[in-house]
Amino acid sequence: MQLTEQYRPRTWDEVIGQDKVVSRIRALAKRGLAGRAYWLSGSSGTGKTTIARLIAQDVASEWDTEELDAGALTCAALRDLERVLSLRGMGERGGRALIVNEAHGLRKDVIRALLVMLERLPAHVAVIFTTTTEGQGSLFEDYDDAGPLLSRCLRLDLSRRDLARPFAERAKAIAEREGLDGRPLERYDNFRAALQAIESGEMIG
């Protein structure tokens, strides 16, 4: 298993550098995270996929969660997904979750279909979109109807500020645990990139 997956946060307490977003989600969780759509945007390596999976984990069991790339989503596939999502999950939580990664890759016809789907989202379902900040800007620039899509989602913009230190400390702790440490703390300024460098042995002094 790659270090990025081995050390991916499994609980909200393990998420680093995104305190405001986590606090907001935890407040929402008191009323339940299902029955709504979420739009997570941020730079690469800031924790979008991790947070999306934790939201899904609060709503649905692993086998009741679907994760896919936006570029592969067609209107036909979306209709099939909507039929599945209309049924309650088989797990003990009873919910279902759909994670759509790289949402800036959504096609115009799929966006139009999503507008309808999100209007009638079942109370046991959470839909989570993830996108890079740059990709989000491109999507809204190129698609006239992307604005209404965003208006149907709870927008969560991940922080890009003050991440270097907590990311570096976490990455260095992992490097030490794996016996692959030897570089100054400043070299661990991007969490995902640092873990890849640690795994390849690049961080050994």
Side-chain angles (χ1 to χ4, degrees):
M1 182 185 294
Q2 292 185 343
L3 292 183
T4 50
E5 289 303 319
Q6 182 179 343
Y7 288 99
R8 185 183 294 278
R10 300 291 192 267
T11 68
W12 292 114
D13 287 338
E14 294 175 0
V15 176
I16 55 176
Q18 299 296 344
D19 294 349
K20 288 185 178 179
V21 167
V22 170
S23 294
R24 189 176 177 192
I25 295 171
R26 281 179 147 165
L28 287 167
K30 294 175 182 177
R31 300 193 302 272
L33 296 178
R36 69 177 80 225
Y38 302 84
W39 186 274
L40 298 173
S41 64
S43 300
S44 177
T46 51
K48 297 182 298 295
T49 299
T50 291
I51 291 174
R53 290 179 181 175
L54 286 173
I55 291 172
Q57 179 179 289
D58 276 10
V59 171
S61 299
E62 185 178 356
W63 51 87
D64 291 321
T65 298
E66 181 84 19
E67 185 169 351
L68 50 83
D69 188 278
L73 191 56
T74 64
C75 288
L78 191 60
R79 285 193 294 271
D80 291 339
L81 282 168
E82 191 170 11
R83 281 193 287 270
V84 173
L85 293 174
S86 69
L87 305 172
R88 291 193 65 84
M90 300 297 290
E92 61 181 32
R93 294 178 181 84
R96 289 188 184 272
L98 172 63
I99 300 173
V100 181
N101 290 315
E102 310 296 336
H104 48 274
L106 288 168
R107 294 171 12 189
K108 184 178 291 188
D109 59 337
V110 172
I111 289 175
R112 285 196 295 267
L114 280 166
L115 296 180
V116 177
M117 173 182 155
L118 295 181
E119 282 291 330
R120 57 193 186 206
L121 196 67
H124 62 272
V125 174
V127 178
I128 310 114
F129 299 94
T130 73
T131 181
T132 61
T133 306
E134 298 79 8
Q136 173 179 275
S138 174
L139 177 65
F140 295 154
E141 179 181 78
D142 296 340
Y143 291 87
D144 293 337
D145 47 5
L149 172 59
L150 186 57
S151 73
R152 287 162 170 77
C153 301
L154 177 63
R155 183 170 177 172
L156 299 168
D157 297 319
L158 273 63
S159 174
R160 289 180 292 178
R161 298 179 57 189
D162 303 322
L163 294 181
R165 188 74 184 185
F167 278 9
E169 290 172 349
R170 174 66 171 153
K172 187 170 179 63
I174 290 170
E176 291 171 349
R177 186 178 300 177
E178 294 292 323
L180 298 169
D181 188 41
R183 297 284 183 166
L185 192 65
E186 292 71 24
R187 286 293 306 275
Y188 302 86
D189 60 351
N190 179 295
F191 193 56
R192 181 186 296 158
L195 289 186
Q196 291 170 344
I198 291 166
E199 196 162 35
S200 68
E202 184 182 325
M203 302 301 277
I204 299 175

